Amino acid sequence: MIDSHTHLFLCEGEEDELLAAAAAAGVERILNIGLDEATNADVVAAAERHAAVFASVGRHPNDAEGFDEEAAAAIAALAGHEQVRAVGETGLDFYRDTASPAAQRRAFAAQVEIAAEVGLPLVIHARDADGESAAIDEIFATLDARAGSNPVVLHCFSAPQRVADAAERGWYCSFAGNVTYPRSEALREAAAQVPADRILVETDAPFLTPQPLRGQRNQPAYVVETARVVAAVRGVSYEELEATVAANGRSLFGW
Ligand SMILES: [Zn+2]
């Protein structure tokens, strides 16, 4: 199994314990996602320490305030590290207002450019205010205009209305614990529709703990619960889903 999106540095417990639990659950590859300069350094260091862990470096839209050329240059420099296999997470978040839309757009545009330059996949965060779709719509428009053929991962995929549009573009949809929640019927239907060569699963730990572990802080080992639900809605065995996402992770992240 893989966890295509986690934040080990935010999880509860020691890194070694979290990774031992993940290994015991069959999780063999983890993409550890940086959010800003300090945590980008953390994820690169963790990837150097552990064979199962790889890094993505970027600036989260919620932390985009003050993003400047120096910040972009720091991400570009780290993106050349051997254990760094993606850029992000980046995108737009119109749900929280910790960073202005202008700052988010600046950081997003810069990271689209960096990913294309270094030839790494882009990890996209999209979050809209309830009942709206301005962020996801703008993300699609920006990527259509600027990302070219660069690989794109829609992390914590939560836009069932755009699942066909993502498939048309060849983008990856990565499902997190929210796909297991009782009210997420539309999202489960979307998980059934993603082409087999474009689906991924993730924890987004320590957030979005899947059923039936809700109430605990999330960790990479728990991706198996999300994978079970995704396998069930796709009408395949856990083992088949596991082989599918492992192959997708391998071809996308080169690990
Ligand atoms: Zn995240």
Side-chain angles (χ1 to χ4, degrees), residues 7-160:
H7 306 285
L8 278 176
F9 50 90
L10 293 177
C11 290
E12 203 167 63
E14 295 298 319
E15 187 176 274
D16 286 345
E17 288 168 19
L18 293 163
L19 294 174
V27 181
E28 294 174 332
R29 287 287 181 272
I30 293 169
L31 190 65
N32 194 19
I33 314 277
L35 303 171
D36 58 16
E37 232 152 285
T39 57
N40 286 338
D42 283 353
V43 297
V44 170
E48 286 172 342
R49 283 192 294 270
H50 303 282
V53 178
F54 292 82
S56 181
V57 295
R59 178 74 76 94
H60 193 286
N62 295 146
D63 300 319
E65 210 54 58
F67 188 89
D68 54 15
E69 278 178 27
E70 207 177 311
I75 291 170
L78 279 180
H81 188 285
E82 202 194 337
Q83 302 306 109
V84 173
R85 300 300 169 87
V87 171
E89 60 185 287
T90 180
L92 298 171
D93 189 322
F94 295 162
Y95 178 80
R96 293 204 176 85
D97 59 1
T98 54
S100 68
Q104 294 188 38
R105 288 180 180 118
R106 196 161 58 238
F108 180 28
Q111 289 171 85
V112 172
E113 207 172 290
I114 292 165
E117 265 166 29
V118 295
L120 288 177
L122 254 182
V123 177
I124 298 294
H125 169 108
R127 187 146 187 212
D128 271 294
D130 291 335
E132 293 178 15
S133 66
I136 189 79
D137 293 346
E138 185 176 332
I139 284 168
F140 268 70
T142 300
L143 293 175
D144 282 347
R146 299 179 177 221
S149 59
N150 205 53
V152 169
V153 181
L154 301 174
H155 124 75
C156 187
F157 184 73
S158 302

